Amino acid sequence: MATDALTHASRSAASEHARTVAEQADRHALTLESILAALRSTRLSDAAARAEAVEIASAALIELRTATDRQRSTLLEPVTGAFSRLRADLRPLVRFGDLDVQFVEPPATGRALPGDVAHSARAIVRTAVLALVDDGVARRVRIQWDCDGRNLLMQLRDDGAGTLDAHDDAVRPIAERVVALEGTLAVHSTAGWGSTLDISLPLDPSPRAIEAPTDSDLTERERDVLRLVVTGIGNREIADGLGISANTVKYHVANLLRKLGARTRAELAAAGARG
């Protein structure tokens, strides 16, 4: 029971490091698309377009500097709050782009989302919308979220060519994110009418059994770090005990997660305890 509780509480923190690069890449792409949409808009004068582009870039820089702290401090996020942040992310494209983005608000009641699920859900939608912008065929997309208590349910429906397939390059990064969270993705297309993406993300992915490490799998320092991770102490205490920096501990923990196929620190500790 204690291990299950630790797994649930640490899922967001443990998976945040693995998704940081992809999350930032999505945000950079969204910022650039938004700036281009403002600069290309025929509804704005040159001066107004430049001012809007500067505002978007400035806001993105502030968001980039505060994103890590905010994400780490947000373990649970109401589904309505997560959806509102998604609308804010896409607002520049809605205001200045050619794609008509329609939002269907989720119910105000319901279970809050774990932080990593909320972040990944927004990234999935942003990736899909940017793919539609790049494709240039669809003129309208409807985004709908709901929560059944166990899963976050998302649907994106466009009015494009209706040729989208689950194996398309545009869908692959979305599918990879969904699989990483043990979710499901279904793509339904009708030629000439558009495509629909139905995505379900579990709020409590099931714990996995991780293979115990062998001596040949790990370096001596990684074995030292793993031995201390098993005790349940934090990175700072591990660093003090081994006489290394906390950043070096984070580096070794990330390598351990990758080598052992663990998603969370709790799974890593369980594997180390069996070793």
Side-chain angles (χ1 to χ4, degrees), residues 16 34 74 184-185 188 226 232:
E16 186 67 30
S34 301
T74 306
T184 60
L185 166 67
H188 307 282
L226 180 59

Side-chain angles (χ1 to χ4, degrees), residues 13 85 218:
R85 289 181 59 184
L218 310 178

Side-chain angles (χ1 to χ4, degrees), residues 120-133:
S120 294
R122 285 193 294 268
I124 287 169
V125 174
R126 290 197 304 268
T127 300
V129 171
L130 289 175
L132 292 175
V133 170

Side-chain angles (χ1 to χ4, degrees), residues 145-168:
W145 282 17
D146 200 353
C147 185
D148 64 5
R150 293 185 178 182
N151 303 277
L152 173 62
L153 309 174
M154 301 189 296
Q155 184 181 87
L156 292 89
R157 179 178 297 176
D158 69 53
D159 64 347
T163 57
L164 195 63
D165 184 83
H167 302 291
D168 287 352

Side-chain angles (χ1 to χ4, degrees), residues 47-217:
R50 286 195 300 271
E52 189 65 34
V54 169
E55 181 180 343
I56 293 170
S58 298
L61 286 173
I62 295 172
E63 175 69 15
L64 180 62
R65 290 167 182 166
T66 60
T68 300
D69 290 339
R70 185 186 64 245
Q71 290 173 2
R72 288 179 177 174
S73 64
T74 306
L75 295 179
L76 291 174
E77 191 169 350
V79 63
T80 52
F83 195 76
S84 294
R85 289 181 59 184
L86 172 66
R87 294 188 66 161
D89 286 346
L90 296 177
R91 185 174 295 118
L93 288 180
V94 174
R95 291 176 62 189
F96 305 113
D98 294 328
L99 188 66
D100 178 15
V101 183
Q102 301 174 350
F103 298 93
V104 179
E105 294 286 346
T109 59
R111 181 178 168 187
L113 307 178
D116 59 336
V117 173
H119 299 322
S120 294
R122 285 193 294 268
I124 287 169
V125 174
R126 290 197 304 268
T127 300
V129 171
L130 289 175
L132 292 175
V133 170
D134 290 339
D135 185 59
V137 177
R139 288 293 174 264
R140 181 180 299 104
V141 60
R142 189 183 73 169
I143 301 170
Q144 182 172 358
W145 282 17
D146 200 353
C147 185
D148 64 5
R150 293 185 178 182
N151 303 277
L152 173 62
L153 309 174
M154 301 189 296
Q155 184 181 87
L156 292 89
R157 179 178 297 176
D158 69 53
D159 64 347
T163 57
L164 195 63
D165 184 83
H167 302 291
D168 287 352
D169 288 341
V171 180
R172 186 177 298 115
I174 297 173
E176 289 174 353
R177 287 181 179 272
V178 172
V179 170
L181 287 174
E182 300 181 0
T184 60
L185 166 67
V187 180
H188 307 282
S189 295
T190 303
W193 289 90
S195 301
T196 300
L197 277 67
D198 286 302
I199 301 166
S200 176
L201 300 180
L203 305 187
D204 298 300
S206 58
R208 299 179 302 168
I210 305 300
E211 292 292 332
T214 63
D215 287 345
S216 60
D217 293 331

